[in-house]
Amino acid sequence: MTRYVALLRGINIGGKNKIAMSELKAGFVEQGYIAVSTHLNSGNVIFSSGAEDRHTLSDIITSMIKNRFALDIPILVISQEELEDILNHAPDWWGDNNKAIYDNLIFMFPFLSYGEFYHQVGEPKEGYEKVYHYKNAIFWSFSRKDYQKTNWWAKTAASNISDRITIRTANTVRKIVRM
């Protein structure tokens, strides 16, 4: 059995794409996944599964969500082992306890390269944003009070690649990797 994390993009945000976590968990259990739990209301599902690879799992979960909730949303599945590896490569400046800094982890879906992401979103604004790329993830930090001065804040949501990324905070990622 492998432990996985499914990151659902764009649910329960601003009253759109509503899914109750209890119903989402039930859908995973009905698919035969075990030790299913959710974290927060933003689509973080931790579960165990046998032989499927993460792309097959993503397809199965996408289909379940379409059938059960009538939603067509992007889903990224990553093993907890892969997630731990990503966190083990975090830069020193990312995810510390400085409450004035907002630390995010941007997950790029398969078939989106860092080069394409960077081409669409542009350079981070020096002095306001820090970024570091490792595998399919980008560590991104910026000052909470200056978020509107960043280059990436609006562009991650409005670019042509917005449906091929999903973003989680440092605290969320650290919690789901331990579940």
Side-chain angles (χ1 to χ4, degrees):
M1 280 293 173
T2 302
R3 198 82 173 132
Y4 291 98
V5 177
L7 303 172
L8 286 68
R9 187 187 183 290
I11 67 163
N12 298 333
I13 296 177
K16 295 181 181 177
N17 299 332
K18 289 185 177 187
I19 299 178
M21 291 301 100
S22 59
E23 287 296 315
L24 183 59
K25 180 178 177 179
F28 273 72
V29 171
E30 288 172 10
Q31 294 299 310
Y33 304 129
I34 60 171
V36 178
S37 60
T38 61
H39 178 67
L40 299 175
N41 202 31
S42 56
N44 306 297
V45 185
I46 303 89
F47 64 100
S48 294
S49 179
E52 300 101 345
D53 64 49
R54 66 187 190 136
H55 301 293
T56 302
L57 288 168
S58 181
D59 291 344
I60 292 168
I61 295 164
T62 298
S63 180
M64 180 270 293
I65 291 182
K66 280 181 186 177
N67 294 333
R68 189 178 183 109
F69 303 104
L71 293 174
D72 187 12
I73 56 171
I75 298 164
L76 177 75
V77 176
I78 186 169
S79 74
Q80 276 191 320
E81 185 177 314
E82 291 172 291
L83 191 53
E84 285 178 34
D85 178 55
I86 290 168
L87 287 179
N88 287 336
H89 287 86
D92 292 338
W93 48 261
W94 185 85
D96 62 19
N97 290 323
N98 184 347
K99 300 291 184 208
I101 302 297
Y102 201 57
D103 297 303
N104 289 306
L105 190 56
I106 301 171
F107 293 92
M108 295 179 291
F109 284 75
F111 311 112
L112 175 63
S113 69
Y114 179 69
E116 185 179 357
F117 174 90
Y118 197 81
H119 176 74
Q120 290 289 324
V121 180
E123 290 190 35
K125 198 171 214 179
E126 193 171 327
Y128 292 100
E129 299 172 278
K130 288 184 182 180
V131 299
Y132 173 74
H133 167 243
Y134 178 74
K135 293 188 175 181
N136 71 322
I138 303 167
F139 297 90
W140 173 39
S141 297
F142 54 89
S143 166
R144 287 180 186 267
K145 70 178 175 86
D146 294 324
Y147 76 92
Q148 292 177 323
K149 296 177 183 177
T150 67
N151 187 42
W152 284 19
W153 179 261
K155 290 186 178 181
T156 54
S159 68
N160 291 334
I161 51 91
S162 64
D163 62 342
R164 293 184 281 161
I165 62 171
T166 190
I167 303 172
R168 299 298 188 274
T169 67
N171 287 337
T172 296
V173 174
R174 287 193 177 121
K175 286 178 185 170
I176 61 179
V177 80
R178 293 188 306 257
M179 293 179 79

